[in-house]
Amino acid sequence: MSIRIAPSILAADFANLESEMAQVSTADLLHVDVMDGHFVPNLTLGLPVVKRLAEVSPLPLDVHLMIEDPDRWAPRYAELGAASVTFHFEAARDARQCAADIKSTGARAAVAIKPGTPADAVTDLLEDVDMVLVMTVEPGFGGQSFMPETLPKLTALRAAAEQAGAAPWLQVDGGISVETAPYAVAAGADTLVAGVSIFGPADRAGAIQAIRDACRH
Protein backbone atom coordinates (compact mmCIF):
# COMPACT_ATOMS: atom_id res chain seq x y z
CA MET A 1 0.00 0.00 0.00
CA SER A 2 1.35 3.39 -1.02
CA ILE A 3 1.43 5.91 1.83
CA ARG A 4 0.75 9.58 1.15
CA ILE A 5 2.13 12.31 3.43
CA ALA A 6 0.33 15.64 3.78
CA PRO A 7 2.19 18.25 5.85
CA SER A 8 -0.23 20.58 7.64
CA ILE A 9 0.58 24.26 7.24
CA LEU A 10 -1.23 24.92 10.52
CA ALA A 11 2.19 24.18 12.06
CA ALA A 12 4.12 26.31 9.54
CA ASP A 13 5.34 29.89 9.83
CA PHE A 14 2.38 31.89 8.48
CA ALA A 15 4.63 34.85 7.70
CA ASN A 16 6.70 32.74 5.30
CA LEU A 17 4.26 30.25 3.81
CA GLU A 18 5.73 30.11 0.30
CA SER A 19 9.16 29.28 1.70
CA GLU A 20 7.65 26.77 4.14
CA MET A 21 5.76 25.02 1.33
CA ALA A 22 8.92 24.72 -0.76
CA GLN A 23 10.62 22.89 2.11
CA VAL A 24 8.00 20.11 2.12
CA SER A 25 7.90 19.55 -1.63
CA THR A 26 8.92 15.89 -1.19
CA ALA A 27 5.52 15.17 0.37
CA ASP A 28 2.43 14.21 -1.63
CA LEU A 29 -0.15 16.81 -0.62
CA LEU A 30 -0.27 20.09 1.29
CA HIS A 31 -2.88 20.03 4.04
CA VAL A 32 -4.67 23.34 4.61
CA ASP A 33 -6.96 23.72 7.63
CA VAL A 34 -9.81 26.20 7.22
CA MET A 35 -11.52 27.02 10.52
CA ASP A 36 -14.34 29.50 11.04
CA GLY A 37 -14.43 29.98 14.81
CA HIS A 38 -17.92 28.46 14.92
CA PHE A 39 -17.72 24.77 14.01
CA VAL A 40 -14.44 24.71 15.92
CA PRO A 41 -13.19 27.29 18.47
CA ASN A 42 -10.39 28.60 16.29
CA LEU A 43 -10.06 30.88 13.26
CA THR A 44 -7.46 30.37 10.55
CA LEU A 45 -7.76 31.40 6.90
CA GLY A 46 -10.28 31.51 4.09
CA LEU A 47 -10.92 31.69 0.36
CA PRO A 48 -8.44 34.43 -0.69
CA VAL A 49 -5.52 32.75 1.08
CA VAL A 50 -6.38 29.29 -0.29
CA LYS A 51 -6.62 30.76 -3.79
CA ARG A 52 -3.13 32.22 -3.53
CA LEU A 53 -1.70 29.08 -1.94
CA ALA A 54 -3.04 27.02 -4.84
CA GLU A 55 -1.23 29.34 -7.25
CA VAL A 56 2.20 28.91 -5.66
CA SER A 57 2.12 25.51 -3.92
CA PRO A 58 4.49 22.83 -5.24
CA LEU A 59 1.96 20.23 -4.09
CA PRO A 60 -1.78 19.66 -4.62
CA LEU A 61 -3.83 21.36 -1.91
CA ASP A 62 -5.74 19.09 0.48
CA VAL A 63 -8.19 21.54 2.07
CA HIS A 64 -9.88 20.49 5.31
CA LEU A 65 -12.96 22.58 6.07
CA MET A 66 -13.76 22.79 9.77
CA ILE A 67 -16.62 25.19 9.13
CA GLU A 68 -20.36 25.54 9.32
CA ASP A 69 -22.39 25.28 6.10
CA PRO A 70 -19.87 23.31 3.99
CA ASP A 71 -22.72 22.59 1.56
CA ARG A 72 -22.41 26.22 0.47
CA TRP A 73 -18.68 26.81 0.78
CA ALA A 74 -16.95 23.53 -0.12
CA PRO A 75 -17.41 23.83 -3.91
CA ARG A 76 -15.98 27.37 -3.78
CA TYR A 77 -12.69 26.07 -2.38
CA ALA A 78 -12.55 23.47 -5.13
CA GLU A 79 -13.20 26.10 -7.80
CA LEU A 80 -10.30 28.19 -6.46
CA GLY A 81 -7.78 25.42 -7.02
CA ALA A 82 -7.94 22.91 -4.17
CA ALA A 83 -7.23 19.42 -5.47
CA SER A 84 -9.18 17.83 -2.62
CA VAL A 85 -11.81 19.34 -0.33
CA THR A 86 -12.83 17.69 2.94
CA PHE A 87 -16.01 18.66 4.75
CA HIS A 88 -17.23 17.42 8.12
CA PHE A 89 -20.08 14.95 8.23
CA GLU A 90 -21.26 16.62 11.42
CA ALA A 91 -21.64 20.00 9.68
CA ALA A 92 -23.15 19.04 6.32
CA ARG A 93 -26.88 19.20 5.66
CA ASP A 94 -26.64 16.70 2.78
CA ALA A 95 -23.27 14.95 2.76
CA ARG A 96 -23.89 13.03 -0.46
CA GLN A 97 -24.88 16.18 -2.36
CA CYS A 98 -21.99 18.12 -0.88
CA ALA A 99 -19.57 15.48 -2.17
CA ALA A 100 -21.21 15.54 -5.59
CA ASP A 101 -20.95 19.33 -5.77
CA ILE A 102 -17.23 19.19 -4.97
CA LYS A 103 -16.61 16.48 -7.55
CA SER A 104 -18.51 18.42 -10.21
CA THR A 105 -15.65 20.96 -10.16
CA GLY A 106 -13.07 18.25 -10.91
CA ALA A 107 -11.70 18.11 -7.37
CA ARG A 108 -11.65 15.11 -5.06
CA ALA A 109 -14.32 15.06 -2.36
CA ALA A 110 -13.73 13.84 1.18
CA VAL A 111 -15.77 13.53 4.34
CA ALA A 112 -14.32 13.86 7.85
CA ILE A 113 -15.55 12.53 11.17
CA LYS A 114 -14.67 13.71 14.66
CA PRO A 115 -13.33 11.29 17.29
CA GLY A 116 -16.81 10.91 18.80
CA THR A 117 -18.54 10.11 15.50
CA PRO A 118 -18.77 6.37 14.74
CA ALA A 119 -17.46 4.89 11.52
CA ASP A 120 -20.88 3.61 10.52
CA ALA A 121 -22.10 7.22 10.23
CA VAL A 122 -20.31 7.44 6.88
CA THR A 123 -20.25 3.87 5.57
CA ASP A 124 -23.11 4.60 3.19
CA LEU A 125 -20.98 7.39 1.65
CA LEU A 126 -17.97 5.23 0.80
CA GLU A 127 -18.96 4.97 -2.86
CA ASP A 128 -19.66 8.72 -3.08
CA VAL A 129 -16.42 10.16 -1.71
CA ASP A 130 -12.78 9.87 -2.72
CA MET A 131 -11.47 9.95 0.85
CA VAL A 132 -12.59 9.60 4.45
CA LEU A 133 -10.72 11.55 7.13
CA VAL A 134 -10.74 10.02 10.59
CA MET A 135 -9.75 12.69 13.09
CA THR A 136 -7.28 11.31 15.62
CA VAL A 137 -7.63 14.44 17.78
CA GLU A 138 -10.52 16.81 18.41
CA PRO A 139 -10.54 19.25 15.48
CA GLY A 140 -9.65 22.87 16.00
CA PHE A 141 -6.03 23.11 17.16
CA GLY A 142 -2.68 21.64 16.14
CA GLY A 143 -0.18 19.97 18.42
CA GLN A 144 -2.64 17.72 20.25
CA SER A 145 -1.91 14.17 21.42
CA PHE A 146 -2.84 11.23 19.21
CA MET A 147 -5.98 9.35 20.29
CA PRO A 148 -5.34 5.61 19.71
CA GLU A 149 -8.97 4.79 20.52
CA THR A 150 -9.92 6.19 17.10
CA LEU A 151 -7.94 3.52 15.21
CA PRO A 152 -10.65 0.81 15.12
CA LYS A 153 -12.71 3.16 12.94
CA LEU A 154 -10.05 2.91 10.24
CA THR A 155 -10.19 -0.86 10.31
CA ALA A 156 -13.98 -0.81 10.13
CA LEU A 157 -14.00 1.65 7.24
CA ARG A 158 -11.40 -0.32 5.30
CA ALA A 159 -13.45 -3.49 5.68
CA ALA A 160 -16.69 -1.72 4.73
CA ALA A 161 -15.07 -0.17 1.65
CA GLU A 162 -13.78 -3.54 0.46
CA GLN A 163 -17.20 -5.08 0.98
CA ALA A 164 -18.81 -2.28 -1.02
CA GLY A 165 -16.23 -2.51 -3.79
CA ALA A 166 -15.14 1.07 -3.07
CA ALA A 167 -11.60 2.35 -2.72
CA PRO A 168 -11.55 5.71 -0.94
CA TRP A 169 -8.33 6.91 0.60
CA LEU A 170 -8.36 6.72 4.39
CA GLN A 171 -6.74 9.73 5.99
CA VAL A 172 -5.78 10.45 9.59
CA ASP A 173 -5.14 13.86 11.08
CA GLY A 174 -3.92 14.66 14.59
CA GLY A 175 -0.82 13.73 16.55
CA ILE A 176 0.79 11.91 13.61
CA SER A 177 4.52 11.35 14.05
CA VAL A 178 7.21 8.73 13.49
CA GLU A 179 5.89 6.96 16.59
CA THR A 180 2.14 7.03 15.82
CA ALA A 181 2.05 6.81 12.02
CA PRO A 182 2.81 3.06 11.87
CA TYR A 183 -0.18 2.32 14.11
CA ALA A 184 -2.47 4.35 11.87
CA VAL A 185 -1.20 2.59 8.76
CA ALA A 186 -1.55 -0.83 10.39
CA ALA A 187 -5.17 0.03 11.17
CA GLY A 188 -5.89 0.92 7.53
CA ALA A 189 -4.81 4.52 6.90
CA ASP A 190 -2.99 5.35 3.66
CA THR A 191 -2.88 9.16 3.88
CA LEU A 192 -1.22 10.87 6.84
CA VAL A 193 -1.55 14.49 7.88
CA ALA A 194 1.35 15.67 10.04
CA GLY A 195 2.00 19.17 11.32
CA VAL A 196 4.40 19.69 14.22
CA SER A 197 6.35 16.51 13.45
CA ILE A 198 7.22 17.87 9.99
CA PHE A 199 7.36 21.64 10.43
CA GLY A 200 8.98 21.41 13.86
CA PRO A 201 12.37 20.02 12.75
CA ALA A 202 14.73 22.17 10.66
CA ASP A 203 15.07 19.36 8.10
CA ARG A 204 11.53 19.06 6.78
CA ALA A 205 12.42 16.64 3.97
CA GLY A 206 14.15 14.43 6.51
CA ALA A 207 11.09 14.49 8.75
CA ILE A 208 8.86 13.44 5.84
CA GLN A 209 11.22 10.60 4.92
CA ALA A 210 11.40 9.45 8.54
CA ILE A 211 7.61 9.02 8.62
CA ARG A 212 7.69 7.12 5.31
CA ASP A 213 10.43 4.84 6.62
CA ALA A 214 8.63 4.22 9.91
CA CYS A 215 5.49 3.13 8.05
CA ARG A 216 7.44 0.74 5.83
CA HIS A 217 9.08 -0.91 8.80
Side-chain angles (χ1 to χ4, degrees), residues 14 52 115 151 156-157 200:
F14 273 31
R52 185 64 180 131
L151 293 180
L157 287 166

Side-chain angles (χ1 to χ4, degrees), residues 21-46:
M21 291 189 297
Q23 294 182 54
V24 297
S25 61
T26 57
D28 303 284
L29 304 163
L30 188 74
H31 192 78
V32 180
D33 287 311
V34 175
M35 307 181 196
D36 63 0
H38 298 284
F39 181 70
V40 293
N42 196 8
L43 186 66
T44 53
L45 43 81

Side-chain angles (χ1 to χ4, degrees), residues 48-142:
V49 177
V50 170
K51 179 178 185 293
R52 185 64 180 131
L53 291 176
E55 292 169 350
V56 300
S57 174
L59 298 169
L61 293 194
D62 172 36
V63 175
H64 177 193
L65 301 180
M66 288 172 267
I67 64 172
E68 293 181 346
D69 200 10
D71 307 73
R72 174 186 179 188
W73 293 108
R76 295 281 305 280
Y77 282 90
E79 291 165 357
L80 290 178
S84 177
V85 178
T86 302
F87 63 92
H88 266 267
F89 172 79
E90 301 89 355
R93 294 189 304 273
D94 185 337
R96 183 170 283 107
Q97 186 61 52
C98 188
D101 290 344
I102 294 168
K103 290 166 74 169
S104 72
T105 70
R108 293 174 60 85
V111 63
I113 53 175
K114 294 180 179 183
T117 301
D120 60 15
V122 294
T123 51
D124 63 343
L125 297 173
L126 292 174
E127 296 178 77
D128 300 292
V129 297
D130 301 297
M131 183 171 74
V132 178
L133 166 55
V134 173
M135 292 298 298
T136 44
V137 298
E138 290 294 341
F141 294 91

Side-chain angles (χ1 to χ4, degrees), residues 113-117 134-141 143-155 171-177 179-181 183-185 187 189 193:
I113 53 175
K114 294 180 179 183
T117 301
V134 173
M135 292 298 298
T136 44
V137 298
E138 290 294 341
F141 294 91
Q144 298 182 66
S145 297
F146 180 77
M147 299 171 66
E149 62 268 29
T150 60
L151 293 180
K153 290 196 281 188
L154 291 164
T155 305
Q171 185 178 66
V172 288
D173 180 3
I176 297 300
S177 65
E179 291 75 27
T180 60
Y183 293 102
V185 170
V193 177

